Amino acid sequence: MKKRMILPLIVILLFTIIASACDNDASNNATSNSNQGAAADTTSTGAAQEETTDTITYQSETGPVEIPAKPERIVALSNGPNILSMDVTPVGVDEWTAANPLFKDKLKDVAIVTDSDPESIAALNPDLIIAGSTAKNLEQLAKIAPTIVYTWGKLDYLDQQLEIGKVLNKEAEAQAWIDDFTKRAGDIGNEIKAKYGDNVKVSTIEIFEKEVFVMGDHWARGTEALYQAMKLNMPEQVKNDTLQEGYHSLSLEVLPEYMGDFVVVSRDMTRDNEIMKSTIWSNIPAVQNKHVIELETKAVTYSDPTTLEYVLNIFKEAFLGESK
């Protein structure tokens, strides 16, 4: 009788142990599967995040362009100096940038490219191309790599640098330079006015062989620094005649009518110039007062930070007798 009672009890106990073990296994498997699923989700999310940070959508003037978040192989058909000023060296630049003495050292191993030869650009394996709006073969270039287009002069010199900062993932650095340069140049302008009077006038001209051009307030050659950042004045005649195109061609006979108290002259410094040897030139009051500031044209045809710092230092020394 006791044996009969013991046997059912043993069977019941065994069933209880087996059931408990099965429950634990099921629970452990569920937990394991849950953890694996969470890990997979995390991995998936991480991959998605990594993918999204590989590129950014840049709002260019022609519409949104998907570009590398950190471009490493840039072909700069335009705005090369803006890029170089942010310590980024392109793999290819236009011939004008390559000829600029301010960037000679940085560009010694960089290819010179042209928009008329897309094949040579493709050979550089660029991950980004920056071009002017008038460049040739823009559609073909866009097939080689994401291509950003800028219209020269559409943005002012500060906004242009900020846009390049966005492209290079260096927007904060670009803004920091803008704030610093604007303040320093403004302070120098105030010192110049304190020394020569609030109404001191400055003319900026470029002499090219036998031609003379007078510049407005946004035509490189230091004009952005002089008139926008330093807030110096230009003669009224210059302001009126450069308003439309940004510059104005002059004959030698009318040149004195466009001259201010100071004259900034952009020219090829390696050559003698007939205009600057003429009687008309020598009779200009600014010339007689030795208020002529000469710039090498090849070095001042852009409005990037490097060029602007270069001309600001020249202006500071010429107007105030000080330099860095």
Side-chain angles (χ1 to χ4, degrees), residues 15 20 78 85 93 104 109 130 142 163 167-168 227 287 295:
F15 272 115
S20 176
S78 71
S85 294
V93 296
K104 184 178 179 180
D109 298 320
I130 297 178
E163 288 305 306
V167 169
L168 300 178
Y227 305 122
V287 176
L295 303 174

Side-chain angles (χ1 to χ4, degrees), residues 19-33:
S20 176
C22 289
D23 286 344
N24 286 337
D25 285 345
S27 176
N28 289 338
N29 287 338
T31 301
S32 175
N33 290 338

Side-chain angles (χ1 to χ4, degrees), residues 197-214:
D198 288 342
N199 294 320
V200 62
K201 291 180 172 58
V202 183
S203 299
T204 303
I205 65 172
E206 181 161 297
I207 299 176
F208 181 73
E209 295 182 351
K210 296 182 180 181
E211 294 182 286
V212 183
F213 301 89
V214 64

Side-chain angles (χ1 to χ4, degrees), residues 6-255:
I6 290 171
L7 184 59
L9 288 173
I10 292 172
V11 172
I12 291 170
L13 181 60
L14 286 174
F15 272 115
T16 301
I17 292 170
I18 292 169
S20 176
C22 289
D23 286 344
N24 286 337
D25 285 345
S27 176
N28 289 338
N29 287 338
T31 301
S32 175
N33 290 338
S34 175
N35 289 338
Q36 289 174 3
D41 287 344
T42 302
T43 303
S44 175
T45 302
Q49 288 175 345
E50 188 173 346
E51 282 180 16
T52 56
T53 55
D54 285 344
T55 62
I56 62 171
T57 300
Y58 177 75
Q59 297 297 331
S60 76
E61 65 179 60
T62 57
V65 181
E66 200 76 13
I67 67 172
K70 293 182 179 179
E72 296 179 350
R73 298 188 61 80
I74 303 172
V75 166
L77 294 168
S78 71
N79 299 97
N82 298 90
I83 297 167
L84 288 160
S85 294
M86 301 212 72
D87 293 323
V88 174
T89 304
V91 294
V93 296
D94 64 285
E95 61 177 320
W96 305 110
T97 301
N100 190 310
L102 299 185
F103 303 104
K104 184 178 179 180
D105 290 342
K106 288 186 177 182
L107 295 174
K108 60 183 178 180
D109 298 320
V110 175
I112 298 174
V113 291
T114 171
D115 54 8
S116 61
D117 186 8
E119 289 78 12
S120 66
I121 294 173
L124 295 174
N125 193 29
D127 58 7
L128 180 66
I129 298 171
I130 297 178
S133 59
T134 59
K136 302 173 184 176
N137 302 308
L138 283 174
E139 290 185 8
Q140 193 171 346
L141 293 175
K143 293 177 182 178
I144 296 171
T147 300
I148 294 172
V149 172
Y150 292 113
T151 298
W152 193 91
K154 187 171 184 177
L155 297 172
D156 70 27
Y157 71 108
L158 298 177
D159 287 339
Q160 182 64 76
Q161 189 60 28
L162 188 61
E163 288 305 306
I164 293 297
K166 292 176 184 178
V167 169
L168 300 178
N169 196 29
K170 293 189 173 190
E171 184 177 358
E173 292 178 37
Q175 187 62 59
W177 175 81
I178 288 168
D179 295 340
D180 179 58
F181 178 80
T182 302
K183 183 181 185 309
R184 284 187 291 110
D187 289 344
I188 293 171
N190 289 336
E191 289 182 52
I192 293 169
K193 290 179 182 179
K195 183 174 181 178
Y196 298 102
D198 288 342
N199 294 320
V200 62
K201 291 180 172 58
V202 183
S203 299
T204 303
I205 65 172
E206 181 161 297
I207 299 176
F208 181 73
E209 295 182 351
K210 296 182 180 181
E211 294 182 286
V212 183
F213 301 89
V214 64
M215 310 297 175
D217 68 353
H218 60 280
W219 207 258
R221 287 82 176 167
T223 57
E224 289 86 357
L226 284 169
Y227 305 122
Q228 295 189 48
M230 298 163 71
K231 300 188 185 307
L232 298 180
N233 302 307
M234 64 178 69
E236 201 65 29
Q237 189 80 1
V238 174
K239 186 184 296 184
N240 293 336
D241 288 354
T242 60
L243 196 60
Q244 192 70 26
E245 295 184 338
Y247 69 95
H248 183 65
S249 177
L250 302 176
S251 65
L252 181 58
E253 290 72 26
V254 302
L255 184 58

